[in-house]
Amino acid sequence: QKEVEQNSGPLSVPEGAIASLNCTYSDRVSQSFFWYRQYSGKSPELIMSIYSNGDKEDGRFTAQLNKASQYVSLLIRDSQPSDSATYLCAVIYSGGSNYKLTFGKGTLLTVNP
Amino acid sequence: DTGVSQDPRHKITKRGQNVTFRCDPISEHNRLYWYRQTLGQGPEFLTYFQNEAQLEKSRLLSDRFSAERPKGSFSTLEIQRTEQGDSAMYLCASSLAVGYGYTFGSGTRLTVV
């Protein structure tokens, strides 16, 4: 059973701080990693993808991948109240799984003004 | 490109009734996925199409669930003899190719009473 693990939170940070969201996955044969943001009652929205070890930056978001540790993280700099949402980590497993996304349960982030 | 469209947005049905949901993917995306999400959980994979071929169906999916994608365009998900445990958000997503992130529709929220 392929698994993606996230702390459910809630994670609470003050406005302007850095929010750090973490995710581990169970299968070393994993190719693609994604972070989705989901506001309450809405569908998931893709915010970051990362495919190779290291950091990838996009605006206030930085995704970090460490395949040896089977660990992927998302940093949100200068957090805003509008960033308050559930953040879902998702992994595409290869090797017979038809390359479908497997999601974690999500981490609820609250940014306090 | 209007994104992924799902219809209806909300459905309330009595236990034992059949329901059908529709999904229109992004036109150039040949991969289409159905997921189900309950409160506090990440999206759970149901089934997947590449063009008109249904390539994988979750073992968690009972025989009451069926999905089609005629001519590789829109898809329908039917639930027969609904049960209260079927109450969830049903999400459709599409992707351009293997390894790409998915674009989700707005979802259909099903309530079985």
Side-chain angles (χ1 to χ4, degrees):
Chain A
Q1 177 75 9
K2 314 296 186 187
E3 293 186 349
V4 179
E5 299 287 341
Q6 296 181 253
N7 288 327
S8 61
L11 174 64
S12 183
V13 301
E15 184 175 355
I18 296 175
S20 178
L21 303 157
N22 304 313
C23 171
T24 59
Y25 57 95
S26 64
D27 194 329
R28 291 188 176 274
V29 186
S30 302
Q31 295 185 334
S32 309
F33 306 85
F34 304 89
W35 284 98
Y36 283 80
R37 178 175 61 198
Q38 187 172 28
Y39 293 113
S40 181
K42 303 296 186 183
S43 62
E45 172 192 11
L46 180 64
I47 55 172
M48 288 289 287
S49 60
I50 187 165
Y51 302 96
S52 55
N53 280 328
D55 295 358
K56 179 182 177 182
E57 185 175 320
D58 184 1
R60 295 185 298 111
F61 298 99
T62 298
Q64 299 174 317
L65 175 61
N66 184 327
K67 290 189 176 182
S69 300
Q70 296 174 227
Y71 177 91
V72 60
S73 65
L74 179 70
L75 301 178
I76 306 174
R77 291 182 300 281
D78 188 24
S79 296
Q80 301 297 309
S82 59
D83 294 327
S84 297
T86 295
Y87 288 81
L88 297 163
C89 175
V91 176
I92 288 185
Y93 292 105
S94 59
S97 69
N98 277 314
Y99 299 90
K100 64 180 182 289
L101 271 179
T102 298
F103 286 86
K105 292 184 178 181
T107 298
L108 177 63
L109 171 66
T110 301
V111 180
N112 300 305
Chain B
D1 180 0
T2 58
V4 179
S5 298
Q6 289 190 247
D7 184 70
R9 294 291 301 275
H10 304 274
K11 179 71 177 179
I12 300 174
T13 191
K14 292 183 178 180
R15 185 162 51 94
Q17 298 294 305
N18 299 344
V19 293
T20 300
F21 310 142
R22 176 180 171 122
C23 172
D24 288 86
I26 294 172
S27 57
E28 59 266 30
H29 288 186
N30 63 6
R31 301 165 75 90
L32 185 148
Y33 304 82
W34 286 98
Y35 281 76
R36 175 173 65 188
Q37 188 177 27
T38 53
L39 195 63
Q41 302 295 313
E44 173 188 38
F45 171 78
L46 294 180
T47 190
Y48 149 63
F49 291 85
Q50 181 163 313
N51 299 314
E52 65 275 11
Q54 186 175 19
L55 296 187
E56 187 173 348
K57 185 176 177 180
S58 170
R59 288 171 292 177
L60 301 175
L61 215 57
S62 76
D63 292 340
R64 297 185 296 107
F65 288 73
S66 63
E68 294 182 340
R69 191 183 181 195
K71 301 180 183 178
S73 56
F74 71 91
S75 176
T76 59
L77 178 68
E78 181 182 17
I79 308 174
Q80 297 182 328
R81 305 181 303 282
T82 52
E83 302 173 356
Q84 287 191 321
D86 298 331
S87 295
M89 174 78 88
Y90 289 83
L91 295 163
C92 177
S94 67
S95 70
L96 182 61
V98 171
Y100 281 65
Y102 301 174
T103 300
F104 282 88
S106 299
T108 295
R109 181 166 298 282
L110 173 66
T111 302
V112 181
V113 297

